[in-house]
Amino acid sequence: MRLPKRLLLAAGIAALAGRRAFPAPYDLRGKHVLLTGGSRGLGLALGRELAARGARLTLVARTERDLRLAAEDLRGRGAEVQTVSADVTDPDALAAVMSAAHAFGDVDVLLHCAGLIQSGPLANMTEQDFRDVMEIHAFAPLRLVRALLPQLSRRRGRVLLVTSVGGKVAVPHLVPYSMSKFAAVGLGQGLRSELAAQGVTVTTVCPGLMRTGSARQATVKGRYEQEYALFATLDNLPLLSLGAAPAAHRIVDALVRGDAEVMVGGPALLLRYAQALAPQLTADALALGHRLLPGSGESDQPRLGVEVETPLTRNNPLKRAAEEDLNG
């Protein structure tokens, strides 16, 4: 009796491996993609990549000016684009998003890229900081998926959640961010298994550092100038960070393949494997690294990175090169 069971198991594994090796590609031409956080940074780079593959885009973001500029950029590349100014953390904004998206018909793909980065010592983080970042990284995509599920199911659509390597390994000075990204990874895994029966494919991507200009929009606490200088420098180092365009290309490739989960960037992959294979050593290394970071400050008030730039960080050639790459 053992032999047939083993053969059955082997056949099942072979079938799954064959399906993974030769997946049916998802054609984005003409597909309606609802993209949150699509007005700048990685979101805009994703919009460009999706548009290049023939998708029609509904961009959702809070700032009308940024949305207008993003739409002009994408239309200049031949994309069909509409915009919705809305805060995805506000449950009451869902109706406006759904109503605007209806102009393009049912949504085929939900791509959640909206995010918030808070950098600073745990001593300066408040409980509200944790709640704010949980709302945008975990509860917002949950509400969107629930609202769009009938459409996604009819269209056998797809969901892609942009999380972070911080959702696999908690990083010092990014504790609220890491907590929320762990939640987002768990949400993606749960949605993947539960929505498959309804014909919806869910992909979770975990990028590492990317040169997307996010440091200027991050909130910093503690010793503001030192905290921002460190974050902005690491965020733009070529060996540690990935350019916005190649990151967007890899993320959309994962969506097209229908991958369950993908690490984006070599350093992110290495850090994940280090955590999985040597958790004690990784924890000790991170604890040691924390000692080298700026200490806490007297104020718990957050400030935007752009507000605490110094001439040194403003004229950083690495940052300028990253901005040119993003705007190219």
Side-chain angles (χ1 to χ4, degrees):
M1 291 296 292
R2 290 183 179 178
L3 186 59
K5 288 183 179 179
R6 290 177 179 175
L7 285 174
L8 215 69
L9 179 61
I13 293 173
L16 287 173
R19 182 177 178 273
R20 179 64 184 86
F22 304 102
Y26 186 74
D27 190 354
L28 285 166
R29 286 177 297 179
K31 295 294 194 300
H32 178 195
V33 180
L34 193 153
L35 172 59
T36 68
S39 63
R40 64 186 179 211
L42 177 63
L44 178 56
L46 286 167
R48 290 169 177 169
E49 183 67 29
L50 291 162
R53 303 192 193 204
R56 297 175 300 125
L57 303 172
T58 295
L59 304 183
V60 184
R62 289 178 297 179
T63 308
E64 290 188 8
R65 178 182 177 275
D66 290 342
L67 279 170
R68 186 181 70 253
L69 293 174
E72 290 173 358
D73 177 285
L74 293 168
R75 287 176 184 138
R77 299 166 189 262
E80 188 177 355
V81 184
Q82 63 175 354
T83 63
V84 188
S85 178
D87 182 351
V88 293
T89 66
D90 180 4
D92 295 332
L94 266 181
V97 172
M98 298 288 286
S99 176
H102 183 68
F104 278 1
D106 283 354
V107 172
D108 296 287
V109 177
L110 168 63
L111 201 165
H112 183 69
C113 185
L116 171 66
I117 301 177
Q118 308 151 315
S119 178
L122 181 61
N124 291 121
M125 294 297 177
T126 65
E127 183 173 318
Q128 191 59 47
D129 291 324
F130 285 84
R131 293 184 181 278
D132 289 344
V133 78
M134 283 291 292
E135 277 291 334
I136 195 164
H137 293 154
F139 289 110
L142 173 62
R143 285 191 287 265
L144 285 165
V145 168
R146 283 182 159 171
L148 292 167
L149 187 55
Q151 302 176 37
L152 293 168
S153 182
R154 281 196 300 271
R155 307 286 291 180
R156 300 192 66 81
R158 303 211 164 184
V159 174
L160 187 142
L161 304 182
V162 177
T163 65
S164 168
V165 65
K168 292 291 186 179
V169 184
V171 181
H173 281 219
L174 291 172
V175 177
Y177 179 83
S178 290
M179 173 178 156
S180 67
K181 291 298 188 179
F182 267 79
V185 170
L187 175 63
Q189 291 177 358
L191 292 176
R192 171 89 181 190
S193 58
E194 295 236 4
L195 300 188
Q198 299 181 53
V200 179
T201 300
V202 180
T203 296
T204 304
V205 293
C206 304
L209 290 169
M210 293 175 289
R211 299 190 293 276
T212 62
S214 60
R216 302 184 83 234
Q217 302 302 323
T219 61
V220 293
K221 289 190 171 187
R223 299 179 183 177
Y224 297 110
E225 292 182 359
Q226 294 178 35
E227 190 73 33
Y228 173 74
L230 176 64
F231 184 61
T233 300
L234 292 175
D235 201 43
N236 291 303
L237 280 176
L239 293 179
L240 288 181
S241 61
L242 187 64
H249 184 81
R250 295 184 193 182
I251 289 170
V252 176
D253 276 351
L255 169 69
V256 168
R257 290 192 303 266
D259 293 341
E261 188 175 286
V262 173
M263 306 300 294
V264 179
L269 189 63
L270 288 173
L271 186 56
R272 178 193 178 184
Y273 280 132
Q275 168 72 17
L277 298 174
Q280 183 68 51
L281 180 61
T282 304
D284 290 345
L286 289 171
L288 180 61
H290 173 256
R291 296 173 181 269
L292 305 176
L293 298 179
S296 59
E298 295 182 359
S299 174
D300 292 341
Q301 291 300 312
R303 297 183 67 182
L304 284 175
V306 68
E307 297 173 348
V308 296
E309 280 189 322
T310 63
L312 180 62
T313 53
R314 188 177 299 113
N315 298 316
N316 186 331
L318 291 174
K319 183 170 75 69
R320 289 203 307 269
E323 290 171 350
E324 290 171 2
D325 177 61
L326 181 61
N327 295 324

